[in-house]
PDB file of all heavy atoms in Angstrom:
ATOM      1  N   HIS A1214     -23.791  64.520  39.692  1.00  0.00           N
ATOM      2  CA  HIS A1214     -25.200  64.681  40.206  1.00  0.00           C
ATOM      3  C   HIS A1214     -25.095  65.421  41.516  1.00  0.00           C
ATOM      4  O   HIS A1214     -24.203  65.123  42.369  1.00  0.00           O
ATOM      5  CB  HIS A1214     -25.835  63.299  40.432  1.00  0.00           C
ATOM      6  CG  HIS A1214     -25.909  62.471  39.217  1.00  0.00           C
ATOM      7  ND1 HIS A1214     -27.044  62.175  38.503  1.00  0.00           N
ATOM      8  CD2 HIS A1214     -24.950  61.723  38.535  1.00  0.00           C
ATOM      9  CE1 HIS A1214     -26.801  61.346  37.574  1.00  0.00           C
ATOM     10  NE2 HIS A1214     -25.525  61.161  37.570  1.00  0.00           N
ATOM     11  N   PHE A1215     -25.976  66.365  41.713  1.00  0.00           N
ATOM     12  CA  PHE A1215     -25.848  67.261  42.840  1.00  0.00           C
ATOM     13  C   PHE A1215     -27.190  67.405  43.599  1.00  0.00           C
ATOM     14  O   PHE A1215     -28.195  67.805  43.089  1.00  0.00           O
ATOM     15  CB  PHE A1215     -25.367  68.658  42.404  1.00  0.00           C
ATOM     16  CG  PHE A1215     -25.209  69.692  43.530  1.00  0.00           C
ATOM     17  CD1 PHE A1215     -24.688  69.342  44.722  1.00  0.00           C
ATOM     18  CD2 PHE A1215     -25.594  71.021  43.326  1.00  0.00           C
ATOM     19  CE1 PHE A1215     -24.479  70.262  45.719  1.00  0.00           C
ATOM     20  CE2 PHE A1215     -25.418  72.007  44.284  1.00  0.00           C
ATOM     21  CZ  PHE A1215     -24.890  71.563  45.533  1.00  0.00           C
ATOM     22  N   SER A1216     -27.205  67.072  44.909  1.00  0.00           N
ATOM     23  CA  SER A1216     -28.346  67.247  45.759  1.00  0.00           C
ATOM     24  C   SER A1216     -27.958  68.266  46.852  1.00  0.00           C
ATOM     25  O   SER A1216     -27.080  67.930  47.723  1.00  0.00           O
ATOM     26  CB  SER A1216     -28.769  65.950  46.399  1.00  0.00           C
ATOM     27  OG  SER A1216     -29.930  66.139  47.206  1.00  0.00           O
ATOM     28  N   PRO A1217     -28.498  69.443  46.826  1.00  0.00           N
ATOM     29  CA  PRO A1217     -27.988  70.538  47.746  1.00  0.00           C
ATOM     30  C   PRO A1217     -28.296  70.181  49.224  1.00  0.00           C
ATOM     31  O   PRO A1217     -29.280  69.488  49.506  1.00  0.00           O
ATOM     32  CB  PRO A1217     -28.859  71.739  47.331  1.00  0.00           C
ATOM     33  CG  PRO A1217     -29.316  71.466  45.908  1.00  0.00           C
ATOM     34  CD  PRO A1217     -29.450  69.956  45.889  1.00  0.00           C
ATOM     35  N   GLY A1218     -27.414  70.645  50.073  1.00  0.00           N
ATOM     36  CA  GLY A1218     -27.628  70.499  51.518  1.00  0.00           C
ATOM     37  C   GLY A1218     -28.663  71.397  52.134  1.00  0.00           C
ATOM     38  O   GLY A1218     -29.082  72.406  51.458  1.00  0.00           O
ATOM     39  N   SER A1219     -29.065  71.148  53.340  1.00  0.00           N
ATOM     40  CA  SER A1219     -30.123  72.008  53.975  1.00  0.00           C
ATOM     41  C   SER A1219     -29.906  71.898  55.448  1.00  0.00           C
ATOM     42  O   SER A1219     -29.267  71.056  55.978  1.00  0.00           O
ATOM     43  CB  SER A1219     -31.531  71.451  53.666  1.00  0.00           C
ATOM     44  OG  SER A1219     -31.707  70.144  54.109  1.00  0.00           O
ATOM     45  N   GLY A1220     -30.513  72.908  56.101  1.00  0.00           N
ATOM     46  CA  GLY A1220     -30.444  72.913  57.614  1.00  0.00           C
ATOM     47  C   GLY A1220     -29.043  72.871  58.154  1.00  0.00           C
ATOM     48  O   GLY A1220     -28.138  73.537  57.717  1.00  0.00           O
ATOM     49  N   SER A1221     -28.846  71.929  59.128  1.00  0.00           N
ATOM     50  CA  SER A1221     -27.516  71.790  59.712  1.00  0.00           C
ATOM     51  C   SER A1221     -26.493  71.252  58.759  1.00  0.00           C
ATOM     52  O   SER A1221     -25.272  71.385  59.065  1.00  0.00           O
ATOM     53  CB  SER A1221     -27.639  70.845  60.924  1.00  0.00           C
ATOM     54  OG  SER A1221     -28.074  69.545  60.466  1.00  0.00           O
ATOM     55  N   GLY A1222     -26.930  70.727  57.590  1.00  0.00           N
ATOM     56  CA  GLY A1222     -25.958  70.243  56.641  1.00  0.00           C
ATOM     57  C   GLY A1222     -25.594  71.178  55.496  1.00  0.00           C
ATOM     58  O   GLY A1222     -24.929  70.793  54.559  1.00  0.00           O
ATOM     59  N   ALA A1223     -26.090  72.405  55.561  1.00  0.00           N
ATOM     60  CA  ALA A1223     -25.976  73.299  54.483  1.00  0.00           C
ATOM     61  C   ALA A1223     -24.487  73.635  54.101  1.00  0.00           C
ATOM     62  O   ALA A1223     -24.142  73.882  52.893  1.00  0.00           O
ATOM     63  CB  ALA A1223     -26.713  74.656  54.760  1.00  0.00           C
ATOM     64  N   ASN A1224     -23.644  73.595  55.059  1.00  0.00           N
ATOM     65  CA  ASN A1224     -22.169  73.828  54.886  1.00  0.00           C
ATOM     66  C   ASN A1224     -21.339  72.585  54.955  1.00  0.00           C
ATOM     67  O   ASN A1224     -20.126  72.667  55.133  1.00  0.00           O
ATOM     68  CB  ASN A1224     -21.681  74.856  55.814  1.00  0.00           C
ATOM     69  CG  ASN A1224     -22.284  76.240  55.606  1.00  0.00           C
ATOM     70  OD1 ASN A1224     -22.437  76.672  54.454  1.00  0.00           O
ATOM     71  ND2 ASN A1224     -22.638  76.895  56.676  1.00  0.00           N
ATOM     72  N   ASN A1225     -21.902  71.449  54.788  1.00  0.00           N
ATOM     73  CA  ASN A1225     -21.216  70.213  54.821  1.00  0.00           C
ATOM     74  C   ASN A1225     -21.312  69.525  53.395  1.00  0.00           C
ATOM     75  O   ASN A1225     -22.378  69.582  52.752  1.00  0.00           O
ATOM     76  CB  ASN A1225     -21.785  69.251  55.809  1.00  0.00           C
ATOM     77  CG  ASN A1225     -21.693  69.779  57.253  1.00  0.00           C
ATOM     78  OD1 ASN A1225     -20.826  70.642  57.497  1.00  0.00           O
ATOM     79  ND2 ASN A1225     -22.640  69.328  58.098  1.00  0.00           N
ATOM     80  N   TRP A1226     -20.232  68.884  52.959  1.00  0.00           N
ATOM     81  CA  TRP A1226     -20.183  68.366  51.571  1.00  0.00           C
ATOM     82  C   TRP A1226     -19.653  66.940  51.550  1.00  0.00           C
ATOM     83  O   TRP A1226     -18.646  66.598  52.208  1.00  0.00           O
ATOM     84  CB  TRP A1226     -19.202  69.284  50.761  1.00  0.00           C
ATOM     85  CG  TRP A1226     -19.723  70.666  50.590  1.00  0.00           C
ATOM     86  CD1 TRP A1226     -19.814  71.640  51.545  1.00  0.00           C
ATOM     87  CD2 TRP A1226     -20.292  71.228  49.397  1.00  0.00           C
ATOM     88  NE1 TRP A1226     -20.362  72.795  51.028  1.00  0.00           N
ATOM     89  CE2 TRP A1226     -20.691  72.583  49.676  1.00  0.00           C
ATOM     90  CE3 TRP A1226     -20.568  70.743  48.112  1.00  0.00           C
ATOM     91  CZ2 TRP A1226     -21.300  73.351  48.797  1.00  0.00           C
ATOM     92  CZ3 TRP A1226     -21.122  71.460  47.170  1.00  0.00           C
ATOM     93  CH2 TRP A1226     -21.558  72.845  47.508  1.00  0.00           C
ATOM     94  N   LEU A1227     -20.346  66.142  50.829  1.00  0.00           N
ATOM     95  CA  LEU A1227     -19.925  64.718  50.639  1.00  0.00           C
ATOM     96  C   LEU A1227     -19.834  64.522  49.122  1.00  0.00           C
ATOM     97  O   LEU A1227     -20.790  64.592  48.328  1.00  0.00           O
ATOM     98  CB  LEU A1227     -21.029  63.776  51.229  1.00  0.00           C
ATOM     99  CG  LEU A1227     -20.655  62.325  51.389  1.00  0.00           C
ATOM    100  CD1 LEU A1227     -21.591  61.652  52.352  1.00  0.00           C
ATOM    101  CD2 LEU A1227     -20.491  61.512  50.130  1.00  0.00           C
TER     102      LEU A1227
END
Side-chain angles (χ1 to χ4, degrees):
H1214 302 253
F1215 180 41
S1216 181
S1219 62
S1221 61
N1224 291 319
N1225 299 334
W1226 294 74
L1227 196 164

